[in-house]
Amino acid sequence: MPQPRAVARAAGPAPAPTAASCARVLRFASLGDSLTEGVGDRVDGSWRGWAALLAQGLGAGGGHAEFRNFAVSGALSRDVHETQTPAALAYSPDLASVIVGVNDTLRHGFDIHDLAVRLDEVCAALSGSGTRLLTACLPDPGAMLALPAPLARPLARRQRAVNAVVHVLSERYGAVHLHLADASWVEDRSLWSADRLHPGERGHRAIARRFHELLTARGLALGVAPGSEPEQPAPSRTAKAVWLATAGTGWVARRCTDLLPQLLALAGAEVRHWAGGTSSRLDHLAENALRSALASLSPAPPLARMGE
């Protein structure tokens, strides 16, 4: 289990690796869900992904960093907290990416307070052990899937709340933070795979290159940035259709079993409030839940508002 927050937080943000620490091979660990596992970037029958691409450009003189990917498709913040973080701490990484939360927004029991507490403890444990953190805010799945407004808005509120928590924790622990919720990123369809939720090879390369740029500016990436152009042939339309009809349909079915009944109820509330001109009430409820979650992290948490 991660260290208690009160103990790890006292250490503050992890310092940059010293010259002595850089003399050995830099260790990089990645934690999270399918995005970090590499779904959408298949090489030789397995997922590679942005984290593996980034690891290739971290070492000096063209050498790779030592890299372990603890991310698992479908992982929730609870999985990162309870399973991946202890494994990563045992690995003693110099850098660790923590990117999770989208799957939490797609669950019936979504609770921004619980997610905030878990991510705080994960960041505190890793930062307190001397690890520099990498984080990212993410686009909401409703926008990616182009869902109708009544269905998309509840998911958007959830993802904005997750992103607000990530922003606060990134600042608190001195993380290297990447914005992946920008419209330019979401709207560039060449970056995304057939399922519209995971990057394709080009997208994974774009994430790796943007992280590499940020790390280079901090003296933490000493190698060459990954190339931007895909090396694998793009899947054909037939291959995309087959994927959507098999694996893609299975993914949606698994999520809908848990989320769909609640999402339909949330959509009904959206329509009723829209018809009554009281849609702002739903935003206020989400804002209050976010404030409560942030207030639980420390006596005087940094201020943040939804969507910042």
Side-chain angles (χ1 to χ4, degrees):
M1 289 293 295
Q3 305 169 35
R5 285 179 289 143
V7 174
R9 185 177 291 121
T18 63
S21 66
C22 289
R24 64 177 174 80
V25 176
L26 182 143
R27 289 184 174 184
F28 172 39
S30 57
L31 293 73
D33 51 30
S34 55
L35 171 70
T36 302
E37 185 186 29
V39 172
D41 180 28
R42 184 173 292 279
V43 178
D44 297 329
S46 61
W47 301 123
R48 176 181 55 183
W50 69 266
L53 290 165
L54 175 62
Q56 297 173 12
L58 294 177
H64 294 191
E66 185 178 323
F67 171 60
R68 289 189 187 178
N69 195 341
F70 297 96
V72 177
S73 181
L76 305 169
S77 59
R78 178 185 297 110
D79 301 310
V80 172
H81 177 264
E82 296 179 356
T83 305
Q84 297 181 25
T85 299
L89 288 170
Y91 178 55
S92 299
D94 301 290
L95 299 173
S97 62
V98 179
I99 303 176
V100 70
V102 170
N103 287 319
D104 290 78
T105 69
L106 297 173
R107 292 297 187 273
H108 178 274
F110 174 77
D111 188 316
I112 190 59
H113 176 274
D114 290 347
L115 180 141
V117 170
R118 292 188 191 109
L119 289 187
D120 189 23
E121 292 184 350
V122 168
C123 292
L126 289 166
S127 182
S129 71
T131 301
R132 177 63 67 91
L133 298 176
L134 281 65
T135 61
C137 56
L138 301 171
D140 73 87
M144 297 304 301
L145 293 171
L147 295 178
L151 295 173
R153 285 173 183 155
L155 295 179
R157 286 193 192 91
R158 291 181 173 189
Q159 190 60 50
R160 289 200 301 270
V162 172
N163 286 343
V165 168
V166 171
H167 279 291
V168 168
L169 295 179
S170 297
E171 181 177 355
R172 174 172 296 164
Y173 294 105
V176 177
H177 182 71
L178 183 61
H179 292 269
L180 292 178
D182 299 339
S184 59
W185 167 257
V186 174
E187 294 168 2
D188 188 348
R189 303 313 305 177
S190 71
L191 299 174
W192 298 93
S193 62
D195 65 5
R196 292 192 171 197
L197 281 174
H198 299 96
E201 182 184 353
R202 186 183 297 277
H204 279 284
R205 287 184 172 277
I207 295 173
R209 286 178 63 85
R210 292 174 70 176
F211 264 128
H212 189 277
E213 180 181 355
L214 294 173
L215 290 168
T216 298
R218 292 163 174 79
L220 300 175
L222 304 176
V224 178
S228 58
E229 293 302 314
E231 296 176 347
Q232 307 297 318
S236 65
R237 289 186 177 181
T238 299
K240 289 182 178 180
V242 169
W243 188 94
L244 287 172
T246 55
T249 300
W251 187 93
V252 172
R254 288 191 296 273
R255 298 306 182 273
C256 288
T257 299
D258 177 74
L259 176 66
L260 186 57
Q262 185 192 45
L263 186 56
L264 291 176
L266 293 172
E270 289 285 342
V271 173
R272 289 193 301 273
H273 279 278
W274 175 81
T278 58
S279 295
S280 60
R281 292 182 183 178
L282 297 175
D283 295 326
H284 290 319
L285 289 173
E287 291 277 2
N288 290 336
L290 173 60
R291 291 193 188 97
S292 177
L294 294 178
S296 70
L297 302 183
S298 73
L303 296 177
R305 292 186 60 81
M306 298 279 282
E308 287 186 346

